[in-house]
Amino acid sequence: MSFINNSKKKIALIDCNSFYVSCERLFNPKIQKIPVVVLSNNDGCVISRSTEAKRIGIKMGEPYFKVKELVKKNNVQIFSSNYALYGDISRRVMKILKGFSDKIEIYSIDEAFIDLSHIKNELVEDYGKRIKERVLKWTGIPTSVGISNTKTLSKVANHVAKKNKAGVIFLKDNIDEVLKNFDISDVWGVGKQLSKLYLKNGINNALKLKNISNSWVKKSTNVLGAKTVMELRGIPCIELDTEETKRKSCCVSRSFGKKVQSLEKLKESVTTHCLNAAEKIRNDNQTTRSITVFIRTSPFDKNRRYYSNSFTIDLPIATNNSLELVKTAITGLVKIYKHGYFYQKAGIILSKLNEAGEKELNLLTPILENKSQKLMKAMDLTNSKYGRNVISVAQAGINNSWRMRREHSSRIDTASFDSLPKISI
DNA sequence: TCTGGGGTCCTAGGACCC
DNA sequence: TCTGGGGTCCTAGGACCC
């Protein structure tokens, strides 16, 4: 029997405030104090809001067309998302965080857990403040820091820190008081379905969830539900994942700027997605043994019949060859395409990913691979040098009418001096 | 007119085997 | 007419996350 002393464990969650908005603000002094929102791909939904935008009632995830009035009335600045920019800023933030603890889990583009167990209790809040200050000073990105002894509690602490002036909370005493005022649906790991279940049973805040009986949770939910409860009690159940593991699947999909009816146009988009996915896994030195293609009409359109379908094809030999993947995906697409529908989205998923170079036993592989590998390498090199999709395949089409809308892009490029704000003295 | 995209993990159930 | 039990592996679909 072994004892793990968890009483000293301290996990910090550093979360960038309104991350995408903050990134846009770095390069645009005029939008510092006014309401700003960033839209999802295709200018579809609101996915990042400044405090000012939250205050005037723009909700997270709301479709853009529903808030257009509000936007107009309040002179809200709108941006299409620019993931190249956000990814770049994110890497800079994470690099700084790594300087504070090598036990770090980069949890998403805008947040990371770090282990601060080595810092004494009485110093840890100050340490959190130093992290926040350094990230702000070196990147310009504001963050909130929540510290407690499990990941779930540090999420709670972070929530509280976001509303707190200092922006840093070490949640150690009065935990129950905080949990009592913490909405059940805001608890990490409690989504729509679990919320519904808990509310039905009178569990409407985090404290009630913490005090629920073990047998009830196990019976009514699953292991994840039980883990959340334990974590609220201060017992670490969700380990810090410090390994930088490679992805297990790779999905590329897009909604269309305009609804698509023809098989030809669907082929163009599926081809484009395949090329991008193949490039991604080649970048990670991976190969795939299974490709899924899917298409669907809009689930929101009540006037037309809904159709959604997918087709998965297992590949006899693991590959990351663009041409081969395109060919396979198209045969799948043809099987599920139905004439007469207004398609809204298409995509592909590569799964059963493996490390490339783990050779399979097949006599033909070496000869076939050599030639195509050289072609792929040349393609990737050209595209990274001269811009994405400079080299493509004919099937992907050009000037496609189905491509996504992106009408509010700031077009900021961190590799270009032109993007820097100019100061006149 | 207009409603994102990319992941992970878990579970139930089927296929298969001895 | 009677028709086991237990194990593994795989997959699709659901729930959750940001």
Side-chain angles (χ1 to χ4, degrees):
Chain A
M1 191 159 135
S2 68
F3 277 101
I4 304 166
N5 186 356
N6 286 318
S7 60
K8 283 180 190 159
K9 202 162 182 112
K10 285 184 278 291
I11 304 289
L13 174 67
I14 298 96
D15 187 314
C16 301
N17 301 342
S18 311
F19 183 56
Y20 298 166
V21 165
S22 298
C23 289
E24 297 290 347
R25 277 181 166 168
L26 290 178
F27 297 87
N28 192 340
K30 287 181 197 148
I31 58 168
Q32 297 305 318
K33 299 254 157 85
I34 63 169
V36 182
V37 308
V38 174
L39 302 176
S40 64
N41 274 329
N42 226 9
D43 295 344
C45 298
V46 173
I47 50 169
S48 182
R49 307 161 295 157
S50 70
T51 325
E52 300 81 3
K54 287 174 193 169
R55 211 172 288 142
I56 59 176
I58 296 177
K59 298 210 175 57
M60 184 66 175
E62 228 175 354
Y64 176 44
F65 72 91
K66 281 191 185 171
V67 295
K68 255 185 180 164
E69 275 303 303
L70 221 60
V71 163
K72 220 172 168 183
K73 213 170 85 189
N74 294 277
N75 201 22
V76 180
Q77 279 291 309
I78 300 290
F79 290 92
S80 301
S81 33
N82 179 351
Y83 289 104
L85 170 65
Y86 312 146
D88 189 13
I89 304 295
S90 171
R91 276 185 290 276
R92 297 178 197 204
V93 171
M94 298 308 166
K95 202 172 162 190
I96 295 166
L97 296 182
K98 280 177 190 163
F100 285 94
S101 175
D102 41 0
K103 285 191 199 150
I104 178 168
E105 174 183 343
I106 297 171
Y107 182 64
S108 76
I109 193 163
D110 70 341
E111 61 190 292
F113 292 101
I114 62 176
D115 192 320
L116 295 184
S117 302
H118 56 290
I119 310 289
K120 283 186 182 150
N121 273 358
E122 54 272 29
L123 300 177
V124 77
E125 194 164 324
D126 267 350
Y127 199 78
K129 283 179 186 159
R130 269 172 53 205
I131 296 174
K132 183 179 158 65
E133 277 161 21
R134 187 179 293 177
V135 173
L136 183 65
K137 197 168 172 190
W138 290 8
T139 66
I141 297 292
T143 55
S144 301
V145 182
I147 309 161
S148 197
N149 63 333
T150 68
K151 279 168 132 183
T152 305
L153 284 175
S154 76
K155 274 272 184 187
V156 172
N158 193 284
H159 245 259
V160 179
K162 279 231 163 16
K163 289 168 192 153
N164 173 288
K165 206 177 167 205
V168 180
I169 294 279
F170 178 31
L171 187 62
K172 185 172 152 288
D173 311 310
N174 315 324
I175 295 185
D176 282 4
E177 194 55 36
V178 170
L179 295 184
K180 200 172 145 190
N181 295 306
F182 204 81
D183 204 278
I184 190 71
S185 60
D186 288 335
V187 175
W188 190 47
V190 178
K192 231 175 161 180
Q193 299 305 315
L194 276 181
S195 278
K196 220 171 24 180
L197 172 79
Y198 290 147
L199 284 175
K200 210 172 75 189
N201 289 276
I203 305 157
N204 59 354
N205 65 50
L207 182 62
K208 285 187 186 165
L209 184 61
K210 174 185 169 178
N211 291 331
I212 213 75
S213 86
N214 283 343
S215 58
W216 188 85
V217 184
K218 275 182 195 157
K219 185 184 76 200
S220 313
T221 74
N222 57 17
V223 289
L224 295 179
K227 276 186 180 178
T228 300
V229 173
M230 296 303 272
E231 288 240 331
L232 285 175
R233 293 176 188 162
I235 302 158
C237 288
I238 307 170
E239 287 297 306
L240 203 69
D241 184 7
T242 53
E243 301 275 316
E244 280 185 35
T245 46
K246 289 191 178 176
R247 59 160 76 84
K248 294 168 181 166
S249 66
C250 177
C251 172
V252 175
S253 71
R254 288 288 177 280
S255 295
F256 301 122
K258 261 189 217 158
K259 300 271 184 294
V260 164
Q261 279 185 279
S262 79
L263 177 59
E264 280 319 299
K265 292 210 166 76
L266 287 178
K267 278 184 182 173
E268 287 181 5
S269 79
V270 166
T271 301
T272 307
H273 301 334
C274 259
L275 294 177
N276 289 335
E279 191 183 320
K280 275 191 188 179
I281 65 166
R282 282 200 299 272
N283 252 326
D284 287 350
N285 197 35
Q286 287 179 300
T287 55
T288 176
R289 282 197 299 114
S290 175
I291 180 165
T292 301
V293 52
F294 64 90
I295 49 175
R296 69 163 162 83
T297 62
S298 169
F300 303 102
D301 191 343
K302 297 287 170 251
N303 299 318
R304 297 199 185 109
R305 257 185 346 130
Y306 180 66
Y307 174 64
S308 162
N309 208 348
S310 71
F311 196 85
T312 301
I313 298 170
D314 283 328
L315 302 154
I317 303 168
T319 183
N320 55 24
N321 181 288
S322 291
L323 306 179
E324 213 177 310
L325 289 171
V326 167
K327 217 173 86 187
T328 313
I330 296 296
T331 62
L333 171 65
V334 170
K335 283 197 206 300
I336 54 174
Y337 173 77
K338 275 196 198 165
H339 181 74
Y341 286 96
F342 289 75
Y343 293 97
Q344 185 241 7
K345 184 176 188 168
I348 64 121
I349 304 163
L350 307 180
S351 41
K352 296 183 183 167
L353 299 185
N354 272 309
E355 192 77 12
E358 285 174 11
K359 286 265 180 286
E360 290 184 37
L361 296 172
N362 186 316
L363 287 175
L364 288 175
T365 342
I367 311 154
L368 291 174
E369 265 190 353
N370 227 334
K371 223 173 152 186
S372 64
Q373 269 173 359
K374 276 183 189 159
L375 176 62
M376 291 303 116
K377 219 172 224 171
M379 204 161 117
D380 291 345
L381 217 66
T382 313
N383 284 339
S384 83
K385 206 166 172 181
Y386 300 107
R388 189 157 231 199
N389 299 331
V390 164
I391 295 190
S392 180
V393 302
Q395 182 116 69
I398 28 173
N399 301 326
N400 327 97
S401 55
W402 47 265
R403 285 199 186 276
M404 67 177 183
R405 277 188 305 279
R406 203 160 174 259
E407 287 165 8
H408 306 278
S409 174
S410 56
R411 300 188 189 283
I412 287 160
D413 176 0
T414 44
S416 154
F417 281 110
D418 294 337
S419 295
L420 292 175
K422 294 171 187 68
I423 304 170
S424 40
I425 310 165

